[in-house]
Amino acid sequence: MSKLYCMYLRKSRADLEAEARGEGETLSRHRRTLTELAIRMHLPLGEVYDEIATGESIAARPQMQRMLADIEAGMWAGVLCMDVDRLARGDSIDQGIISQTFLYSNAIIITPGKTYDPRNESDSEFFEMKMFFSRREYAQIRKRLQAGRMRSVLDGRYMGTRPPYGYRRVKIQGDKGWTLEIVPEKAEIVRMIYDWYVNGMDGRPVGCGAIATRLNDMGLRTDMGNRFDPSCILNIITNPAYIGMVRWNQRTTVVSLQNGQRIKSRPKSDEPIIVRGLHAPILTQEIYDAAQERHAGRYVPKTPETLALSNPLAGLVVCHECGHTLQRKPSPRGCWIFCPTRRCKTIGILEDVFERAVLEHLQNWLVTYSDENAPSAPAKNAADAVAEQLQRQKQTLQTQLSRLYDLLEQGVYTTEIFLARQRELTERLSALDEKLAAAQKPPELDMEACIRQALPRVKAVLDAYPLAETAAEKNALLKSVIERIDYQKTKRSTRWQNSLDFLQMTIYPRVPAGEIQG
């Protein structure tokens, strides 16, 4: 068990309100308080986990995830925090994960008011009670916040953090909340988009894709500096903010369980709240209604989930130019796979031609690598010697760290010098830990080593592939040995050339974690 302690810092909503009143930066104040506590208790500090996010669940807090993993690995003897409610305000599952992590790792929780030892029954019960009441308090705060947001929406305030294209978000004069203000030059572009969508462009009807292409050709960009795409145009077409309305609760968060894991989704609500806003409209009601009528007539239903998979290469082929996954498209000449990114210079290829090329590539692996010997693993004794040397250096630094407290008590070091010296030793300890972890883990496999380890499964796939009857079966076989296929083809073949002449592809083998060897 490590003798070092870590520190966990996280802001709450009350802290954000205090900062707004000018009471100072929260994390700095808490860091100073906990550092002084560590000095008084002679606790050597190793690392500080600064949580910038304020999410309620562990899944939304990356520093908490990292700290719990380090505690499970035995890196820390305990955690310093301002209060236990800084650790968990999530549901009972999250609180149970945190409680069990501290219990089975024998790590203690130190706050300015109390130290909680999970091995002590009364401390464990008190810790669980504190987290329970913290959860209830959080639920009440969340309920009040939701009621406040709803009241603001009904009053016409704009509650979004990002304004629609054509507006800027401004503070309401003499009142709380925000509203929207028209940006004249962008408002003209919004009117132009609606005019094109309703009345057509160059004498012909157009869709969102053609409008996005025209705007990009004009050198225009979104508020984020990105190119316009069809989904961006569709969001503009269907946003009631342009007729002076405020929309709220368009998407609701739905939590479901899949294989024991919580999955969050945000489907569109059947009954969003749409009320008159405080901001001025950009469009007339007539052209907005005309756009909604045309959009409703162009609705294309989603592909049924029960539809069988038709592409044996689905999810495997990635465009080298833009990184998008290639898609399948039927045609009179056969099915093609192509890059869906508009104006990407990648050229498509017939599906059956590329499928044969992939199988031939796998067959070449068997021929090229079967007779070669795998690279020898590094000598174990040499790795152990390096690890032992690093362990001795680590023990020396830990001894120096513990002596700092004696020098502080004797008056040799001031608090500032103590903290600077402690930080230096802690950083050196962290660097040693990284070197030690690198020395103890097996060396990473290179491409050829991964292919060699995948050869038995590749042979089995090639034997079973001709017997597969459906595209789904073929896709499962390919995914068992292929991680992804990097596809590069930017020159079109003529009718007298082989379509593979200008194709370059790199197939990355899939090696399950259990098969990786040093």
Side-chain angles (χ1 to χ4, degrees):
M1 180 70 183
S2 172
K3 298 301 181 184
L4 292 175
Y5 293 77
C6 66
M7 185 187 301
Y8 181 75
L9 303 174
R10 182 177 70 86
K11 291 183 181 181
S12 66
R13 286 183 173 85
D15 296 329
L16 297 175
E17 294 172 0
E19 290 180 3
R21 293 193 300 267
E23 296 184 13
E25 209 280 325
T26 301
L27 296 186
S28 298
R29 290 188 289 108
H30 289 180
R31 184 194 295 265
R32 185 167 58 252
T33 300
L34 294 178
T35 300
E36 293 172 355
L37 177 64
I39 293 174
R40 289 198 305 271
M41 298 181 66
H42 287 203
L43 302 177
L45 287 175
E47 186 169 354
V48 178
Y49 299 89
D50 287 330
E51 194 77 75
I52 305 301
T54 58
E56 63 170 293
S57 65
I58 294 176
R61 292 154 61 184
Q63 292 300 315
M64 169 61 75
Q65 297 174 35
R66 194 164 67 89
M67 185 186 72
L68 292 178
D70 291 343
I71 291 174
E72 289 178 356
M75 288 180 59
W76 313 122
V79 177
L80 284 83
C81 61
M82 290 301 294
D83 203 348
V84 292
D85 62 2
R86 303 282 171 167
L87 295 176
R89 272 195 163 182
D91 57 20
S92 56
I93 296 178
D94 281 352
Q95 292 177 352
I97 291 173
I98 292 173
S99 297
Q100 289 192 349
T101 299
F102 282 96
L103 176 62
Y104 296 128
S105 303
N106 293 328
I108 63 176
I109 301 170
I110 303 170
T111 70
K114 180 176 173 56
T115 297
Y116 301 87
D117 188 344
R119 292 164 292 187
N120 185 295
E121 185 176 351
S122 61
D123 279 358
S124 180
E125 290 179 356
F126 191 61
F127 177 65
E128 292 178 0
M129 288 177 59
K130 286 275 290 183
M131 288 200 297
F132 171 75
F133 285 111
S134 172
R135 172 63 182 169
R136 291 200 59 181
E137 180 188 5
Y138 176 78
Q140 293 297 321
I141 292 174
R142 187 175 179 182
K143 186 176 180 180
R144 290 196 299 269
L145 287 173
Q146 289 175 342
R149 291 192 188 103
M150 182 61 66
R151 183 68 264 167
S152 295
V153 170
L154 295 178
D155 289 341
R157 295 176 174 86
Y158 183 75
M159 295 301 296
T161 56
R162 186 182 299 172
Y165 185 83
Y167 286 102
R168 66 169 64 94
R169 187 167 170 261
V170 294
K171 198 82 171 63
I172 299 176
Q173 295 295 328
D175 199 356
K176 293 182 178 179
W178 300 80
T179 187
L180 298 174
E181 181 180 85
I182 295 177
V183 181
E185 58 274 16
K186 292 183 178 179
E188 285 301 319
I189 298 172
V190 172
R191 296 187 185 102
M192 187 166 56
I193 290 172
Y194 271 79
D195 180 61
W196 286 341
Y197 191 75
V198 173
N199 302 317
M201 182 192 304
D202 301 329
R204 58 185 177 85
V206 294
C208 295
I211 294 174
T213 301
R214 175 65 67 89
L215 295 176
N216 291 329
D217 290 344
M218 293 168 62
L220 299 174
R221 295 293 181 264
T222 67
D223 288 335
M224 301 297 292
N226 301 322
R227 293 170 60 88
F228 284 91
D229 57 32
S231 63
C232 176
I233 301 300
L234 183 59
N235 287 335
I236 294 175
I237 293 294
T238 57
N239 195 337
Y242 297 113
I243 53 172
M245 308 299 285
V246 171
R247 181 173 57 190
W248 184 250
N249 204 32
Q250 182 192 13
R251 292 185 179 272
T252 56
T253 301
V254 177
V255 181
S256 59
L257 281 178
Q258 296 182 12
N259 299 323
Q261 299 292 324
R262 286 179 299 173
I263 305 298
K264 285 188 178 182
S265 60
R266 298 186 69 241
K268 286 188 176 181
S269 173
D270 294 333
E271 298 180 354
I273 298 170
I274 301 178
V275 298
R276 176 63 58 186
L278 299 177
H279 62 279
I282 290 178
L283 303 170
T284 64
Q285 186 72 44
E286 290 74 20
I287 193 167
Y288 178 80
D289 290 342
Q292 305 318 302
E293 183 179 353
R294 180 167 187 254
H295 171 61
R298 290 172 59 88
Y299 175 72
V300 179
K302 293 183 178 179
T303 303
E305 295 181 359
T306 56
L307 192 65
L309 183 71
S310 57
N311 182 9
L313 300 166
L316 287 173
V317 191
V318 179
C319 175
H320 179 79
E321 301 298 326
C322 66
H324 283 186
T325 302
L326 270 64
Q327 297 180 2
R328 179 179 185 267
K329 181 180 180 180
S331 75
R333 290 183 56 194
C335 292
W336 291 77
I337 58 172
F338 70 102
C339 179
T341 303
R342 184 177 291 270
R343 297 198 174 178
C344 179
K345 58 183 180 180
T346 293
I347 305 298
I349 192 171
L350 282 169
E351 177 190 76
D352 56 346
V353 173
F354 188 69
E355 183 183 2
R356 289 196 299 270
V358 170
L359 295 175
E360 290 176 5
H361 198 97
L362 295 180
Q363 187 67 46
N364 289 337
W365 281 359
L366 296 178
V367 176
T368 304
Y369 299 106
S370 292
D371 297 331
E372 294 185 19
N373 296 322
S376 59
K380 186 175 180 181
N381 292 337
D384 290 344
V386 172
E388 290 175 3
Q389 182 181 5
L390 292 174
Q391 283 285 11
R392 288 194 296 269
Q393 295 178 18
K394 183 177 178 180
Q395 291 174 0
T396 301
L397 287 178
Q398 288 175 341
T399 302
Q400 295 177 11
L401 191 60
S402 63
R403 289 175 181 170
L404 285 179
Y405 295 94
D406 296 333
L407 296 172
L408 179 66
E409 290 181 348
Q410 296 169 12
V412 177
Y413 283 168
T414 63
T415 302
E416 290 75 15
I417 296 176
F418 167 81
L419 292 176
R421 179 63 176 157
Q422 186 194 49
R423 188 179 305 110
E424 178 190 350
L425 291 175
T426 302
E427 290 174 355
R428 290 170 62 185
L429 273 172
S430 299
L432 272 179
D433 285 336
E434 293 178 1
K435 292 180 180 179
L436 191 59
Q440 291 174 341
K441 73 177 181 180
E444 294 184 1
L445 298 175
D446 59 15
M447 184 77 157
E448 291 186 5
C450 289
I451 293 175
R452 291 190 187 96
Q453 294 204 9
L455 286 183
R457 289 181 293 106
V458 171
K459 187 177 187 308
V461 166
L462 291 175
D463 291 340
Y465 201 84
L467 305 177
E469 297 180 353
T470 65
E473 293 175 353
K474 294 180 178 180
N475 185 252
L477 288 171
L478 292 177
K479 284 185 175 179
S480 68
V481 294
I482 298 176
E483 185 69 33
R484 76 176 192 277
I485 303 173
D486 186 88
Y487 177 94
Q488 185 176 14
K489 187 172 189 284
T490 56
K491 188 174 180 180
R492 194 177 302 275
S493 306
T494 65
R495 59 190 305 179
W496 297 281
Q497 292 175 319
N498 189 329
S499 58
L500 299 176
D501 286 346
F502 306 112
L503 171 67
Q504 295 182 28
M505 68 173 172
T506 303
I507 299 182
Y508 294 88
R510 180 187 295 275
V511 180
E515 295 186 11
I516 296 178
Q517 302 172 1

